[in-house]
Amino acid sequence: MKTSLIILAAGKGTRMNSDLPKVLHPIATESMLVHAMAAGATLDPEHTVVVAGHGAEQVSAAVQAYDETATVVVQEEQLGTAHAVDQARAALGDFDGTAIVLYGDTPFVSPDTLERMMGAAEGSDVVVLGFEARDPGRYGRLILNGDALERIVEFKDATEAERAVTLCNSGVVACKAGLLFDLIAGVGNDNASGEYYLTDIIALARARGLTASAVTCPEEETMGVNSRAQLAEAEAAFQARARAVLLEDGVTLQAPETVFLARDTVIGRDTLIEPNVVFGPGVTVESGATIRAFSHLEGCHVSRGAIIGPYARLRPGAELAENTRVGNFVEIKNAIVSEGAKVNHLSYIGDAFVGASANIGAGTITCNYDGVMKHHTHIGARSFIGSNTMLVAPVHIGNGAMTGSGSVITSDVEEDALALSRAPQVEKPGMARKLVAMLTAKKARMQRGS
């Protein structure tokens, strides 16, 4: 079936008490809006239309960063959900497939649920996503007659009998685009809030003799976020589900509650994750790796058999080959570390290539930035970089070469050569004792003077 997405993202989110539009607040390192777009993208939509309002420029930038083919339209006045959906009318033009209405602040509707809605839409004119609520509260209620959905009643307008219904409305709707906009044209605002409710299209459809049905999903998928407290609950819910998936897939988490994952984190089976590890966006860890405690990974790729940490930081562009070692207080950025290479202690490797089986001594730094531009460092295979070596880029260290500890390397080093660059050691007998005596006397004079 041909599909288009309409994602409502116009709300200000007053309860968030934030200058950032509500839908741009992050869960698992990415905005709620991106979560919603990513779920919808699994349907391979022909069009994605995001309806923005408050902070429209920021919302538009976030949308384009994720999907440059998406369209953003602006709801100048927030007059209700039906009015918001109607803003997508022109953007969808003569699209004759099924439109699915999603919400930028309801980030957890699953691809499986959306697939089931599309399936239901083949046999029903309008499909609504509902859920059985543990505490129905002020949710709109789905009123069924057998399997047919008769109407949706907002809590403010519901009778006591209707409020006793526990099947609640998520707001997600699937309907042929042309019919959806035709029904919206008949929606009025004669209700307790004076708004144009999208939910009214069900009664309008039924009055025309059209069919309406409900698909249900777990309540957790319909979690909306309207406050910082709910944002924290959503983060916790995402992390709990993501950790459970990893455990089921054969990843060992020694202390699952201390490991934090991004929306797109990929970790292969038989990988060991020690406590207090944080994954930023864009991380792939292959099977059989070890990520030791208190490490932070972002935008990197870790191959099979690698051991990272503890207290390691992998930044965007870090590519670690099989059986590499990155140890405590080491930072890798935009660098390839080839198979079997070791960077074990207190080092920074940035904008660099480290050859196979190279050994980088403690305290080594690739000095890659000159204040204006970044420069590249090449460290050859089987090379040995002595402790506390400064490699001033651009510089090339040949295969099998060595540098002496404490060296500042500013020129290329040929293959199998030893490079030394440090001041000669000078020793002055007895000078330490004389210096201490001089300083002690000076301190005594200062104290008498005070």
Side-chain angles (χ1 to χ4, degrees):
M1 295 178 66
K2 294 190 293 184
T3 309
S4 285
L5 306 178
I6 302 173
I7 303 177
L8 304 189
K12 182 176 182 179
T14 303
R15 290 169 58 193
M16 298 296 286
N17 191 23
S18 174
D19 293 331
L20 188 69
K22 178 173 67 170
V23 298
L24 298 187
H25 283 265
I27 296 171
T29 76
E30 292 197 277
S31 71
M32 292 188 281
L33 178 56
V34 166
H35 282 265
M37 293 179 69
T42 62
L43 298 176
D44 192 23
E46 290 191 14
H47 306 278
T48 296
V49 182
V50 177
V51 181
H54 175 71
E57 289 187 5
Q58 291 172 280
V59 171
S60 181
V63 168
Q64 295 300 310
Y66 179 75
D67 179 5
E68 62 183 14
T69 69
T71 301
V72 178
V73 298
V74 178
Q75 184 188 23
E76 299 292 351
E77 294 182 271
Q78 278 71 62
L79 301 179
T81 49
H83 178 259
V85 173
D86 200 43
Q87 307 310 299
R89 183 189 297 264
L92 289 184
D94 58 358
F95 172 72
D96 61 353
T98 298
I100 290 190
V101 179
L102 300 173
Y103 296 80
D105 60 357
T106 306
F108 296 148
V109 177
S110 72
D112 176 69
T113 293
L114 296 178
E115 289 283 0
R116 289 190 293 112
M117 289 193 71
M118 290 296 295
E122 295 183 10
S124 185
D125 293 309
V126 185
V127 179
V128 173
L129 180 63
F131 62 97
E132 287 287 345
R134 290 182 289 273
D135 178 13
R138 303 185 68 82
Y139 289 116
R141 305 306 204 264
L142 302 188
I143 308 302
L144 298 178
N145 182 4
D147 291 332
L149 177 61
E150 291 288 340
R151 66 189 184 281
I152 303 175
V153 182
E154 295 296 330
F155 178 84
K156 293 178 182 179
D157 304 303
T159 65
E160 287 302 317
E162 289 167 338
R163 290 180 180 183
V165 173
T166 57
L167 182 61
C168 295
N169 176 39
S170 72
V172 178
V173 173
C175 181
K176 286 286 188 180
L179 175 60
L180 175 64
F181 293 119
D182 188 35
L183 291 169
I184 284 174
V187 172
N189 65 343
D190 184 16
N191 53 60
S193 297
E195 294 187 351
Y196 297 89
Y197 291 142
L198 182 63
T199 51
D200 287 352
I201 68 171
I202 303 304
L204 291 171
R206 296 294 288 159
R208 295 187 189 185
L210 301 173
T211 57
S213 63
V215 168
T216 60
C217 70
E219 183 175 2
E220 290 73 18
E221 289 190 27
T222 67
M223 179 185 295
V225 176
N226 295 296
S227 67
R228 301 281 185 164
Q230 291 176 344
L231 184 68
E233 291 172 6
E235 180 74 41
F238 175 92
Q239 296 298 337
R241 286 196 297 272
R243 294 163 187 152
V245 169
L246 288 182
L247 292 168
E248 185 68 23
D249 289 346
V251 176
T252 296
L253 306 177
Q254 288 184 334
E257 69 281 2
T258 70
V259 174
F260 288 84
L261 305 158
R263 183 188 65 82
D264 60 352
T265 302
V266 177
I267 302 177
R269 69 176 184 175
D270 292 325
T271 289
L272 169 63
I273 310 294
E274 293 186 0
N276 297 297
V277 173
V278 175
F279 293 90
V283 176
T284 297
V285 179
E286 293 185 11
S287 300
T290 298
I291 313 298
R292 302 187 65 188
F294 295 98
S295 294
H296 187 285
L297 293 78
E298 178 180 358
C300 62
H301 176 265
V302 178
S303 296
R304 183 184 299 268
I307 299 177
I308 310 302
Y311 295 97
R313 185 181 183 198
L314 301 185
R315 291 173 56 194
E319 290 280 343
L320 275 58
E322 293 185 2
N323 301 313
T324 49
R325 300 290 185 269
V326 173
N328 48 289
F329 303 104
V330 170
E331 180 177 345
I332 310 287
K333 188 271 294 186
N334 191 31
I336 295 172
V337 181
S338 302
E339 183 174 1
K342 298 177 181 179
V343 191
N344 273 331
H345 317 284
L346 303 162
S347 295
Y348 171 72
I349 304 296
D351 299 293
F353 171 86
V354 179
S357 299
N359 190 313
I360 310 300
T364 294
I365 295 176
T366 57
C367 306
N368 56 329
Y369 184 50
D370 63 8
V372 178
M373 295 183 294
K374 299 290 181 69
H375 300 280
H376 189 263
T377 298
H378 180 100
I379 300 171
R382 304 177 312 282
S383 58
F384 185 96
I385 306 301
S387 298
N388 200 36
T389 294
M390 304 292 109
L391 299 170
V392 182
V395 69
H396 185 286
I397 309 299
N399 295 341
M402 300 179 68
T403 68
S405 297
S407 294
V408 178
I409 304 299
T410 58
S411 300
D412 292 350
V413 179
E414 67 181 41
E415 185 172 323
D416 295 322
L418 168 63
L420 296 168
S421 176
R422 58 191 181 204
Q425 181 171 316
V426 177
E427 183 175 339
K428 298 184 177 182
M431 189 62 196
R433 174 172 45 79
K434 294 178 182 178
L435 183 59
V436 170
M438 181 179 67
L439 293 173
T440 301
K442 181 177 181 180
K443 181 179 179 180
R445 288 193 301 272
M446 292 174 62
Q447 289 174 337
R448 286 196 298 271
S450 62

CSV table of all heavy atoms in Angstrom, one decimal, residues 61-107:
chain,number,residue,atom,x,y,z
A,61,ALA,N,14.7,22.5,11.0
A,61,ALA,CA,16.2,22.1,10.9
A,61,ALA,C,16.4,20.6,11.4
A,61,ALA,O,17.1,19.9,10.7
A,61,ALA,CB,17.0,23.0,11.7
A,62,ALA,N,15.7,20.2,12.4
A,62,ALA,CA,15.9,18.9,12.9
A,62,ALA,C,15.3,17.9,11.9
A,62,ALA,O,15.9,16.8,11.7
A,62,ALA,CB,15.2,18.7,14.3
A,63,VAL,N,14.1,18.2,11.3
A,63,VAL,CA,13.5,17.3,10.3
A,63,VAL,C,14.5,17.1,9.1
A,63,VAL,O,14.7,16.0,8.7
A,63,VAL,CB,12.2,17.9,9.9
A,63,VAL,CG1,11.7,17.2,8.7
A,63,VAL,CG2,11.2,17.8,11.0
A,64,GLN,N,15.0,18.2,8.6
A,64,GLN,CA,15.8,18.2,7.4
A,64,GLN,C,17.1,17.4,7.7
A,64,GLN,O,17.7,16.7,6.8
A,64,GLN,CB,16.1,19.6,6.9
A,64,GLN,CG,14.9,20.3,6.4
A,64,GLN,CD,14.2,19.5,5.2
A,64,GLN,OE1,14.9,19.1,4.3
A,64,GLN,NE2,12.9,19.3,5.4
A,65,ALA,N,17.6,17.6,9.0
A,65,ALA,CA,18.9,16.9,9.3
A,65,ALA,C,18.7,15.4,9.3
A,65,ALA,O,19.6,14.6,9.0
A,65,ALA,CB,19.4,17.3,10.7
A,66,TYR,N,17.5,14.9,9.7
A,66,TYR,CA,17.2,13.5,9.7
A,66,TYR,C,16.7,13.0,8.3
A,66,TYR,O,17.1,11.9,7.9
A,66,TYR,CB,16.1,13.2,10.7
A,66,TYR,CG,15.8,11.7,10.8
A,66,TYR,CD1,16.6,10.8,11.3
A,66,TYR,CD2,14.6,11.2,10.2
A,66,TYR,CE1,16.4,9.4,11.3
A,66,TYR,CE2,14.3,9.9,10.2
A,66,TYR,CZ,15.2,9.0,10.8
A,66,TYR,OH,14.9,7.6,10.8
A,67,ASP,N,15.9,13.8,7.6
A,67,ASP,CA,15.3,13.3,6.3
A,67,ASP,C,15.1,14.6,5.5
A,67,ASP,O,14.1,15.3,5.6
A,67,ASP,CB,14.0,12.6,6.5
A,67,ASP,CG,13.4,12.1,5.2
A,67,ASP,OD1,14.0,12.3,4.2
A,67,ASP,OD2,12.3,11.6,5.3
A,68,GLU,N,16.1,14.8,4.6
A,68,GLU,CA,16.0,16.0,3.7
A,68,GLU,C,14.9,16.0,2.7
A,68,GLU,O,14.5,17.0,2.1
A,68,GLU,CB,17.3,16.2,3.0
A,68,GLU,CG,17.7,15.2,2.1
A,68,GLU,CD,19.1,15.4,1.5
A,68,GLU,OE1,19.8,16.3,2.0
A,68,GLU,OE2,19.4,14.7,0.5
A,69,THR,N,14.2,14.8,2.5
A,69,THR,CA,13.1,14.7,1.6
A,69,THR,C,11.8,15.1,2.3
A,69,THR,O,10.7,15.2,1.6
A,69,THR,CB,13.0,13.3,1.0
A,69,THR,OG1,12.6,12.4,2.0
A,69,THR,CG2,14.3,12.9,0.4
A,70,ALA,N,11.8,15.2,3.6
A,70,ALA,CA,10.5,15.5,4.3
A,70,ALA,C,10.1,16.9,4.1
A,70,ALA,O,10.9,17.8,3.9
A,70,ALA,CB,10.7,15.2,5.8
A,71,THR,N,8.8,17.2,4.3
A,71,THR,CA,8.3,18.5,4.1
A,71,THR,C,7.8,19.0,5.5
A,71,THR,O,7.2,18.3,6.2
A,71,THR,CB,7.1,18.5,3.2
A,71,THR,OG1,7.5,18.0,1.9
A,71,THR,CG2,6.5,19.9,3.0
A,72,VAL,N,8.1,20.3,5.8
A,72,VAL,CA,7.6,20.9,7.0
A,72,VAL,C,6.6,22.0,6.6
A,72,VAL,O,6.9,22.8,5.8
A,72,VAL,CB,8.7,21.5,7.8
A,72,VAL,CG1,8.2,22.2,9.1
A,72,VAL,CG2,9.8,20.4,8.2
A,73,VAL,N,5.4,21.9,7.2
A,73,VAL,CA,4.4,22.9,7.1
A,73,VAL,C,4.1,23.5,8.4
A,73,VAL,O,4.3,22.9,9.5
A,73,VAL,CB,3.1,22.4,6.5
A,73,VAL,CG1,3.3,21.8,5.1
A,73,VAL,CG2,2.5,21.3,7.3
A,74,VAL,N,3.6,24.8,8.5
A,74,VAL,CA,3.5,25.5,9.7
A,74,VAL,C,2.0,25.7,10.0
A,74,VAL,O,1.3,26.2,9.2
A,74,VAL,CB,4.2,26.8,9.7
A,74,VAL,CG1,4.0,27.6,11.0
A,74,VAL,CG2,5.7,26.6,9.5
A,75,GLN,N,1.6,25.3,11.2
A,75,GLN,CA,0.3,25.6,11.8
A,75,GLN,C,0.4,26.9,12.6
A,75,GLN,O,0.9,26.9,13.7
A,75,GLN,CB,-0.2,24.5,12.7
A,75,GLN,CG,-1.6,24.7,13.2
A,75,GLN,CD,-2.0,23.6,14.2
A,75,GLN,OE1,-1.1,23.0,14.9
A,75,GLN,NE2,-3.3,23.4,14.4
A,76,GLU,N,0.0,28.0,12.0
A,76,GLU,CA,0.2,29.3,12.6
A,76,GLU,C,-0.6,29.5,13.9
A,76,GLU,O,-0.2,30.1,14.8
A,76,GLU,CB,-0.2,30.4,11.6
A,76,GLU,CG,0.6,30.5,10.3
A,76,GLU,CD,2.0,30.9,10.5
A,76,GLU,OE1,2.4,31.3,11.7
A,76,GLU,OE2,2.8,30.8,9.6
A,77,GLU,N,-1.8,28.9,13.9
A,77,GLU,CA,-2.7,28.9,15.1
A,77,GLU,C,-2.9,27.5,15.5
A,77,GLU,O,-3.3,26.7,14.6
A,77,GLU,CB,-4.0,29.7,14.9
A,77,GLU,CG,-3.9,31.1,14.6
A,77,GLU,CD,-5.3,31.7,14.4
A,77,GLU,OE1,-5.8,31.8,13.3
A,77,GLU,OE2,-5.8,32.2,15.5
A,78,GLN,N,-2.8,27.2,16.8
A,78,GLN,CA,-3.1,25.8,17.2
A,78,GLN,C,-4.6,25.7,17.6
A,78,GLN,O,-5.0,26.1,18.7
A,78,GLN,CB,-2.2,25.5,18.4
A,78,GLN,CG,-0.8,25.0,18.1
A,78,GLN,CD,0.1,26.2,17.5
A,78,GLN,OE1,0.3,27.1,18.2
A,78,GLN,NE2,0.5,26.1,16.3
A,79,LEU,N,-5.4,25.2,16.6
A,79,LEU,CA,-6.8,25.2,16.8
A,79,LEU,C,-7.3,23.8,17.0
A,79,LEU,O,-8.6,23.5,16.8
A,79,LEU,CB,-7.5,25.8,15.6
A,79,LEU,CG,-7.1,27.3,15.3
A,79,LEU,CD1,-7.9,27.8,14.1
A,79,LEU,CD2,-7.5,28.2,16.5
A,80,GLY,N,-6.4,22.8,17.2
A,80,GLY,CA,-6.9,21.5,17.4
A,80,GLY,C,-6.2,20.5,16.5
A,80,GLY,O,-5.6,20.9,15.5
A,81,THR,N,-6.4,19.2,16.7
A,81,THR,CA,-5.6,18.2,16.0
A,81,THR,C,-6.2,18.1,14.5
A,81,THR,O,-5.4,17.8,13.6
A,81,THR,CB,-5.7,16.8,16.7
A,81,THR,OG1,-7.1,16.6,17.0
A,81,THR,CG2,-4.9,16.8,17.9
A,82,ALA,N,-7.5,18.2,14.4
A,82,ALA,CA,-8.0,18.2,13.0
A,82,ALA,C,-7.5,19.4,12.2
A,82,ALA,O,-7.1,19.2,11.0
A,82,ALA,CB,-9.5,18.2,13.0
A,83,HIS,N,-7.4,20.5,12.8
A,83,HIS,CA,-6.9,21.7,12.1
A,83,HIS,C,-5.4,21.5,11.8
A,83,HIS,O,-4.9,21.8,10.7
A,83,HIS,CB,-7.1,22.9,13.0
A,83,HIS,CG,-6.5,24.2,12.4
A,83,HIS,ND1,-5.3,24.7,12.8
A,83,HIS,CD2,-6.9,25.0,11.4
A,83,HIS,CE1,-5.0,25.8,12.1
A,83,HIS,NE2,-6.0,26.0,11.3
A,84,ALA,N,-4.6,20.8,12.7
A,84,ALA,CA,-3.2,20.6,12.4
A,84,ALA,C,-3.0,19.6,11.3
A,84,ALA,O,-2.2,19.9,10.4
A,84,ALA,CB,-2.6,20.0,13.7
A,85,VAL,N,-3.8,18.5,11.2
A,85,VAL,CA,-3.7,17.6,10.1
A,85,VAL,C,-4.0,18.3,8.8
A,85,VAL,O,-3.4,18.0,7.8
A,85,VAL,CB,-4.6,16.4,10.4
A,85,VAL,CG1,-4.6,15.5,9.1
A,85,VAL,CG2,-4.1,15.6,11.6
A,86,ASP,N,-5.0,19.2,8.8
A,86,ASP,CA,-5.4,19.8,7.6
A,86,ASP,C,-4.3,20.7,7.0
A,86,ASP,O,-4.4,21.0,5.8
A,86,ASP,CB,-6.7,20.7,7.9
A,86,ASP,CG,-7.5,21.0,6.6
A,86,ASP,OD1,-7.7,20.1,5.8
A,86,ASP,OD2,-7.9,22.2,6.5
A,87,GLN,N,-3.3,21.1,7.8
A,87,GLN,CA,-2.2,21.9,7.2
A,87,GLN,C,-1.4,21.1,6.2
A,87,GLN,O,-0.7,21.6,5.4
A,87,GLN,CB,-1.3,22.4,8.4
A,87,GLN,CG,-2.0,23.1,9.5
A,87,GLN,CD,-2.9,24.2,9.0
A,87,GLN,OE1,-2.5,25.1,8.3
A,87,GLN,NE2,-4.2,24.1,9.3
A,88,ALA,N,-1.5,19.7,6.3
A,88,ALA,CA,-0.8,18.9,5.3
A,88,ALA,C,-1.5,18.7,4.0
A,88,ALA,O,-0.9,18.0,3.1
A,88,ALA,CB,-0.5,17.5,6.0
A,89,ARG,N,-2.7,19.2,3.9
A,89,ARG,CA,-3.5,19.0,2.7
A,89,ARG,C,-2.7,19.3,1.4
A,89,ARG,O,-2.6,18.5,0.5
A,89,ARG,CB,-4.8,19.7,2.8
A,89,ARG,CG,-5.7,19.5,1.6
A,89,ARG,CD,-6.9,20.5,1.7
A,89,ARG,NE,-7.7,20.3,2.9
A,89,ARG,CZ,-8.8,19.6,2.9
A,89,ARG,NH1,-9.3,18.9,1.8
A,89,ARG,NH2,-9.5,19.5,4.0
A,90,ALA,N,-2.2,20.5,1.3
A,90,ALA,CA,-1.5,21.0,0.1
A,90,ALA,C,-0.3,20.2,-0.1
A,90,ALA,O,0.1,19.9,-1.3
A,90,ALA,CB,-1.2,22.5,0.2
A,91,ALA,N,0.5,19.9,0.9
A,91,ALA,CA,1.7,19.2,0.8
A,91,ALA,C,1.5,17.8,0.2
A,91,ALA,O,2.4,17.3,-0.6
A,91,ALA,CB,2.4,19.1,2.1
A,92,LEU,N,0.4,17.1,0.5
A,92,LEU,CA,0.1,15.8,0.0
A,92,LEU,C,-0.5,15.9,-1.4
A,92,LEU,O,-0.5,14.8,-2.1
A,92,LEU,CB,-0.7,15.0,0.9
A,92,LEU,CG,0.0,14.6,2.2
A,92,LEU,CD1,-1.0,13.7,3.1
A,92,LEU,CD2,1.3,13.8,2.0
A,93,GLY,N,-1.0,17.0,-1.8
A,93,GLY,CA,-1.5,17.2,-3.2
A,93,GLY,C,-2.5,16.1,-3.5
A,93,GLY,O,-3.5,15.9,-2.8
A,94,ASP,N,-2.3,15.4,-4.6
A,94,ASP,CA,-3.2,14.4,-5.1
A,94,ASP,C,-2.8,13.0,-4.7
A,94,ASP,O,-3.2,12.0,-5.4
A,94,ASP,CB,-3.3,14.5,-6.7
A,94,ASP,CG,-2.0,14.3,-7.4
A,94,ASP,OD1,-0.9,14.2,-6.7
A,94,ASP,OD2,-1.9,14.3,-8.6
A,95,PHE,N,-2.0,12.9,-3.7
A,95,PHE,CA,-1.6,11.5,-3.2
A,95,PHE,C,-2.9,10.7,-2.9
A,95,PHE,O,-3.8,11.2,-2.2
A,95,PHE,CB,-0.8,11.7,-1.9
A,95,PHE,CG,-0.5,10.4,-1.2
A,95,PHE,CD1,0.4,9.5,-1.8
A,95,PHE,CD2,-1.1,10.1,0.0
A,95,PHE,CE1,0.7,8.3,-1.1
A,95,PHE,CE2,-0.8,8.9,0.6
A,95,PHE,CZ,0.1,8.0,0.1
A,96,ASP,N,-2.9,9.5,-3.4
A,96,ASP,CA,-4.1,8.7,-3.3
A,96,ASP,C,-4.0,7.5,-2.5
A,96,ASP,O,-4.8,6.6,-2.5
A,96,ASP,CB,-4.7,8.3,-4.7
A,96,ASP,CG,-3.6,7.4,-5.5
A,96,ASP,OD1,-2.5,7.3,-5.0
A,96,ASP,OD2,-4.0,7.0,-6.6
A,97,GLY,N,-2.9,7.4,-1.7
A,97,GLY,CA,-2.7,6.3,-0.8
A,97,GLY,C,-3.2,6.6,0.6
A,97,GLY,O,-4.0,7.5,0.8
A,98,THR,N,-2.7,5.8,1.6
A,98,THR,CA,-3.1,5.9,3.0
A,98,THR,C,-2.2,6.8,3.7
A,98,THR,O,-1.0,6.7,3.6
A,98,THR,CB,-3.1,4.5,3.6
A,98,THR,OG1,-4.1,3.7,3.0
A,98,THR,CG2,-3.5,4.6,5.1
A,99,ALA,N,-2.8,7.7,4.5
A,99,ALA,CA,-2.1,8.6,5.3
A,99,ALA,C,-2.1,8.1,6.8
A,99,ALA,O,-3.2,7.7,7.2
A,99,ALA,CB,-2.6,10.1,5.3
A,100,ILE,N,-1.0,8.1,7.5
A,100,ILE,CA,-1.0,7.8,8.9
A,100,ILE,C,-0.6,9.0,9.7
A,100,ILE,O,0.4,9.7,9.4
A,100,ILE,CB,0.0,6.6,9.2
A,100,ILE,CG1,-0.5,5.3,8.6
A,100,ILE,CG2,0.2,6.5,10.7
A,100,ILE,CD1,0.2,4.1,9.0
A,101,VAL,N,-1.4,9.4,10.6
A,101,VAL,CA,-1.2,10.5,11.5
A,101,VAL,C,-0.4,10.1,12.7
A,101,VAL,O,-0.9,9.2,13.5
A,101,VAL,CB,-2.5,11.2,11.9
A,101,VAL,CG1,-2.2,12.4,12.8
A,101,VAL,CG2,-3.2,11.7,10.7
A,102,LEU,N,0.8,10.6,13.0
A,102,LEU,CA,1.6,10.3,14.1
A,102,LEU,C,1.8,11.6,14.9
A,102,LEU,O,1.5,12.7,14.4
A,102,LEU,CB,2.9,9.7,13.7
A,102,LEU,CG,2.9,8.4,12.9
A,102,LEU,CD1,4.3,8.0,12.5
A,102,LEU,CD2,2.3,7.3,13.8
A,103,TYR,N,2.4,11.4,16.1
A,103,TYR,CA,2.6,12.6,17.0
A,103,TYR,C,4.1,12.7,17.4
A,103,TYR,O,4.7,11.6,17.8
A,103,TYR,CB,1.7,12.5,18.2
A,103,TYR,CG,0.3,12.5,17.9
A,103,TYR,CD1,-0.4,11.4,17.4
A,103,TYR,CD2,-0.4,13.7,18.0
A,103,TYR,CE1,-1.7,11.5,17.0
A,103,TYR,CE2,-1.8,13.8,17.6
A,103,TYR,CZ,-2.4,12.7,17.1
A,103,TYR,OH,-3.7,12.8,16.7
A,104,GLY,N,4.7,13.8,17.3
A,104,GLY,CA,6.1,14.0,17.6
A,104,GLY,C,6.4,13.9,19.1
A,104,GLY,O,7.6,13.7,19.4
A,105,ASP,N,5.4,13.9,19.9
A,105,ASP,CA,5.7,13.7,21.4
A,105,ASP,C,5.2,12.4,21.8
A,105,ASP,O,5.1,12.1,23.0
A,105,ASP,CB,5.0,14.8,22.2
A,105,ASP,CG,3.5,14.9,22.0
A,105,ASP,OD1,3.0,14.1,21.2
A,105,ASP,OD2,2.8,15.7,22.7
A,106,THR,N,4.9,11.5,20.9
A,106,THR,CA,4.6,10.1,21.2
A,106,THR,C,5.6,9.2,20.5
A,106,THR,O,5.3,8.7,19.4
A,106,THR,CB,3.1,9.8,20.8
A,106,THR,OG1,2.3,10.7,21.4
A,106,THR,CG2,2.7,8.4,21.3
A,107,PRO,N,6.8,9.0,21.0
A,107,PRO,CA,7.9,8.5,20.2
A,107,PRO,C,8.0,7.0,20.1
A,107,PRO,O,8.8,6.5,19.4
A,107,PRO,CB,9.1,9.0,21.0
A,107,PRO,CG,8.6,9.1,22.4
A,107,PRO,CD,7.2,9.5,22.4
